[in-house]
Amino acid sequence: MSDGTMSNGTINPVVPEGVTLPIYMDNHATSPMDPRVLEAMLPYFGAKFGNAASRNHSFGWEAEQAVEQAREQIARLIGATAKEIIFTSGATESNNLAIKGIAEMYRERGNHIITQVTEHKAVLDTCKRLEKYGYRVTYLPVKADGLIDLDDLRRAIDDKTILVTIMSANNEIGVLQPVAEIGRICHEKGVIFHTDAVQAVGKVPVDVQAMNIDVLSLTAHKIYGPKGVGALYVRRRNPRVQIAAQIDGGGHERGMRSGTLNVPGIVGLGKACEIAMQEMATEAERLRAMRDHLRARMEAELDYVEVNGSWEHRLPGNLNMSFIYVEGESLLMGINDVAVSSGSACTSATLEPSYVLKALGLGDDVAHSSIRFGLGRFNTMAECDYVADKVIGIVKKLRELSPLYEMVKEGIDLSKIEWAAH
Ligand SMILES: *Cc1c(COP(=O)(O)O)cnc(C)c1O
């Protein structure tokens, strides 16, 4: 492992014992299922196939009981009560239901919604659609560290504001917004507070009471559960929040979300929450140690690397780094046995720099040279060493070929150069 191979810039470091390639280090995109979650789900694909809405026989009761247990498990993790949990197909739906459902329900009271620029597209695009229907949306900026300014929020709230929707943790840079402070401000002003807590739930403590959260989105597949199942927490007391259904039908989920429940998925989500509740504290420490090690290794060997987003207010498993003077696509291709995400988003044919990184003030080239390392439950320290070796090797190699890097090393100020048009 750290046998010196990295210092001469090899791009094929030794694979440590116990490490198999490819390495998955993209846990913000999705996480592998925990085997304990799969085990809990299996009976509900087989003998326990009942419809949780069937009231007349034991097949239905058995399914309903499993669903109610999951509701409890989820509620416990976020300090809610079981009745406040609504099941959905995932956080994209939860965000849509929360924002559109509140916008519709409170239209008489006002038409103003506040969000911020680094939200997930499931929030931003939902807000954009509401603008077409006559809602007014304020998109708060973020500071260079990725956090919103609470004074901006206070100033943005007016007598037509019905909803503030600000994420708990960002999926690219792992930055934790000051949710408790946001909740306090919203409650003082009598405005509903929704948070997309997909990346935070199960990773850092989330308590809807202590943090004055009224509505909260979460999803199973980011916490070692199955894809295609999520939940929306909807506060029932102080204040009681009402949400207009966006899917009509049989009146399931207290009328807020019709449709036959995905019982195996819901059981998996519940189990995932139960495990997170028990293991979050120790897991967070382990992830933080691995993440810090990964950062330290790369910073010891490479110059012109920068961490994106606040280091202090951050998910334990997130490291987002720019490798300046390196071409992003070549970097990613060079580490093709490691699954990570880049600071580029594929939109149709072109490679766009991440809007999240741009919101922090990064230039396009720096954004493209960025990598998100998303550490999770099944990563190991040995994997981190391999990934560090690999990245160090390829960055050194690419910089050997980079005229920009050469010029910087020679002390030339790139900002003073007049480039020929091309
Ligand atoms: C993954 C993610 C979503 C979307 O969740 P799905 O369950 O995949 O629809 C929403 N918000 C954030 C912050 C996410 O990371």
Side-chain angles (χ1 to χ4, degrees), residues 211-234:
M211 296 171 168
N212 283 312
I213 296 165
D214 298 316
V215 187
L216 175 149
S217 303
L218 61 89
T219 192
H221 76 103
K222 308 279 175 84
I223 52 171
Y224 316 101
K227 289 163 190 61
V229 59
L232 187 67
Y233 155 77
V234 183

Side-chain angles (χ1 to χ4, degrees), residues 407-421:
M407 290 161 85
V408 171
K409 292 303 268 187
E410 283 162 20
I412 299 169
D413 184 349
L414 294 182
S415 65
K416 300 237 162 66
I417 295 178
E418 295 206 12
W419 302 98

Side-chain angles (χ1 to χ4, degrees), residues 28-29 89-93 95 120 122 167 169 171 196 198-199 219 221-222:
H28 302 304
S89 63
T92 298
E93 187 192 335
N95 287 339
H120 192 271
M167 70 199 325
N171 44 298
D196 173 346
V198 165
Q199 298 287 346
T219 192
H221 76 103
K222 308 279 175 84

Side-chain angles (χ1 to χ4, degrees), residues 42-234:
L42 284 174
Y44 297 91
F45 288 112
K48 302 185 180 188
F49 61 85
N51 185 331
S54 295
R55 287 285 151 82
N56 305 315
H57 48 70
S58 62
F59 296 88
W61 303 332
E62 188 175 57
E64 192 196 13
Q65 203 177 10
V67 165
E68 292 316 309
Q69 183 187 324
R71 238 186 265 282
E72 293 279 354
Q73 288 164 320
I74 299 159
R76 221 171 284 137
L77 181 60
I78 61 170
T81 61
K83 280 188 175 159
E84 296 173 307
I85 305 299
I86 306 296
F87 289 111
T88 66
S89 63
T92 298
E93 187 192 335
S94 295
N95 287 339
N96 271 266
L97 175 56
I99 297 166
K100 290 174 182 167
I102 289 165
E104 185 181 331
M105 190 60 91
Y106 294 88
R107 183 68 184 83
E108 302 279 274
R109 193 183 292 178
N111 69 338
H112 182 225
I113 295 167
I114 299 171
T115 186
Q116 59 92 25
V117 292
T118 67
E119 290 292 312
H120 192 271
K121 287 288 183 189
V123 167
L124 292 176
D125 288 353
T126 302
C127 288
K128 275 199 208 114
R129 182 174 298 276
L130 288 175
E131 284 185 277
K132 287 189 195 154
Y133 297 147
Y135 290 86
R136 187 161 52 85
V137 180
T138 300
Y139 300 87
L140 299 176
V142 291
K143 298 176 282 182
D145 63 3
L147 294 165
I148 64 158
D149 184 331
L150 292 170
D151 286 328
D152 286 346
L153 173 64
R154 282 190 197 94
R155 274 192 294 270
I157 296 174
D158 61 34
D159 59 354
K160 289 280 182 277
T161 309
I162 50 175
L163 173 67
V164 169
T165 173
I166 307 269
M167 70 199 325
S168 296
N170 185 270
N171 44 298
E172 286 190 38
I173 51 178
V175 162
L176 302 170
Q177 295 291 350
V179 172
E181 285 82 354
I182 296 168
R184 193 175 321 127
I185 292 167
C186 289
H187 271 214
E188 276 167 19
K189 306 261 187 179
V191 175
I192 297 170
F193 175 35
H194 164 255
T195 186
D196 173 346
V198 165
Q199 298 287 346
V201 165
K203 316 290 169 62
V204 293
V206 173
D207 184 318
V208 295
Q209 295 305 345
M211 296 171 168
N212 283 312
I213 296 165
D214 298 316
V215 187
L216 175 149
S217 303
L218 61 89
T219 192
H221 76 103
K222 308 279 175 84
I223 52 171
Y224 316 101
K227 289 163 190 61
V229 59
L232 187 67
Y233 155 77
V234 183

Side-chain angles (χ1 to χ4, degrees), residues 355-395:
Y355 67 91
V356 173
L357 296 178
K358 291 205 74 170
L360 306 186
L362 270 64
D364 287 10
D365 49 343
V366 178
H368 281 306
S369 79
S370 305
I371 291 184
R372 175 186 72 183
F373 303 91
L375 292 156
R377 182 172 294 163
F378 302 106
N379 288 120
T380 63
M381 202 55 119
E383 286 180 334
C384 292
D385 270 315
Y386 178 83
V387 171
D389 288 344
K390 191 86 187 183
V391 171
I392 290 163
I394 193 72
V395 168

